[in-house]
Amino acid sequence: MKARITVTLKTGVLDPQGKAIKHALTGLDFKGVNEVRQGKLIELDLDDTDKDTAMARVTQMCEKLIANTVIENYTIELE
C-alpha cells in the first residue's frame, strides 16, 4: 500500500519560502499570483494491506515525526 502525505503550514503561520517563490514568479513576469504557500509531499510504500491499520500507523508517524502539528497541517491519501 502507498501513502501520500501532504504537509502545509497552518493559516496565519508566516511562510517565508512562499513569499520568496511569489517574488521569483513576479520577477519572471508571471502576473496574477496573489499568494504562495509552500509545503512538502512525502510518499511511503507500506507493507500494510488493511486501510484502517495503515491509516492509523501513518497518522502516528505524522504526529510523532513527519509534521510539526503546532504550525503544520497534514493530509493522508492511501492507495
Side-chain angles (χ1 to χ4, degrees), residues 44-62:
L44 305 174
D45 187 7
L46 306 168
D47 287 340
D48 296 291
T49 55
D50 179 67
K51 253 188 168 174
D52 292 334
T53 301
M55 182 62 79
R57 287 186 59 219
V58 174
T59 299
Q60 286 180 339
M61 293 176 198
C62 289

Side-chain angles (χ1 to χ4, degrees), residues 13-65:
V13 176
L14 294 178
D15 186 353
Q17 285 183 303
K19 286 187 180 194
I21 293 167
K22 181 183 182 300
H23 179 72
L25 289 171
T26 301
L28 293 171
D29 206 27
F30 289 101
K31 296 179 180 6
V33 178
N34 297 317
E35 185 178 359
V36 177
R37 303 285 287 174
Q38 69 85 37
K40 56 189 170 187
L41 172 67
I42 299 164
E43 294 180 332
L44 305 174
D45 187 7
L46 306 168
D47 287 340
D48 296 291
T49 55
D50 179 67
K51 253 188 168 174
D52 292 334
T53 301
M55 182 62 79
R57 287 186 59 219
V58 174
T59 299
Q60 286 180 339
M61 293 176 198
C62 289
E63 294 286 327
K64 290 182 178 184
L65 175 70

